[in-house]
Amino acid sequence: MNVKNMWPAVTAVLVAGALPAQAQTVTAPKTMTINAEVTGTCSLDSTPDIDLGQLTMNSGNTGQGAVNVTCTNGLPYDILATLGANANGAYAQLKGDTTGTLLRYNLYSDATHQTVWPQAAVSGTPTQEGEGSAQSIPVYLQIVDADLKTAKVDTYQDAVDFTVSY
C-alpha cells in the first residue's frame, strides 16, 4: 500500500468522524437578572483653617475658608457647624491665648454675611446636592465690630466642628 495515496482517505475519515451525525437541539434562552443599588454616602474631605492674620481696630474683620465634601451624585445633603469651643448664646467666640478675652464672630454661607451657617439640620429640602466628586463649599467669617474695637492684644483662636447630614 502506498502511504502517499493513503493520506486523503485518512483525512476524509477524520473529518467525517468529527461532524455530528444529526443536528443538535437548541433550548430556549434563559434570562439572568442583574441588580445593583447605588447607596448615598458623603464624606468631609477637609476643612482648611481660616487665618485672619493681624487685625487692627481699622482693619477688615472678615475671612473666608471652605469645607470640602464628596457626596454620591444626586444625594441631597447639608453641612452643619458647631458654634465652637467657646460658644456663648448664638455667637461663636475666639478666645485669647494669654488674656482669655473673648472675641465674638459668626460663620456665614454667603459672602454678604446675611445667612448664618446652620448649626442644626434645616427643615425641608437640604441646601446642597452631591455631584459624585469633591465640592468646595465656601465658609465666610465675620468678627462682630464692637468686639474688634475693644479687643485686647493677644492671639485668638477657636475650633469649629463641621458635619455632613444626608
Side-chain angles (χ1 to χ4, degrees):
M1 177 179 233
N2 185 350
V3 175
K4 210 184 211 189
N5 294 333
M6 200 160 102
W7 283 111
V10 171
T11 303
V13 169
L14 288 174
V15 171
L19 296 175
Q22 64 186 156
Q24 295 187 4
T25 305
V26 177
T27 62
K30 297 292 181 186
T31 301
M32 175 189 292
T33 302
I34 299 170
N35 296 310
E37 180 181 356
V38 175
T39 58
T41 186
C42 288
S43 65
L44 285 174
D45 302 327
S46 63
T47 52
D49 296 339
I50 298 175
D51 186 351
L52 298 173
Q54 295 181 349
L55 300 176
T56 65
M57 195 170 58
N58 297 319
S59 68
N61 61 345
T62 62
Q64 182 178 343
V67 176
N68 299 308
V69 61
T70 301
C71 292
T72 305
N73 190 24
L75 180 67
Y77 70 92
D78 278 316
I79 298 173
L80 310 174
T82 65
L83 286 175
N86 309 302
N88 181 11
Y91 284 100
Q93 299 182 111
L94 297 163
K95 185 175 183 178
D97 290 342
T98 305
T99 64
T101 302
L102 298 171
L103 186 59
R104 293 180 298 165
Y105 71 93
N106 264 327
L107 297 177
Y108 298 89
S109 59
D110 63 314
T112 59
H113 306 110
Q114 299 299 309
T115 307
V116 175
W117 199 275
Q119 280 80 43
V122 178
S123 61
T125 305
T127 58
Q128 306 289 336
E129 186 174 299
E131 295 179 355
S133 59
Q135 293 173 270
S136 183
I137 310 300
V139 178
Y140 302 94
L141 179 145
Q142 183 177 41
I143 294 175
V144 176
D145 284 333
D147 283 8
L148 184 58
K149 291 178 182 174
T150 60
K152 295 181 180 177
V153 174
D154 205 340
T155 299
Y156 293 82
Q157 61 182 326
D158 193 15
V160 176
D161 292 324
F162 287 89
T163 56
V164 60
S165 173
Y166 56 96

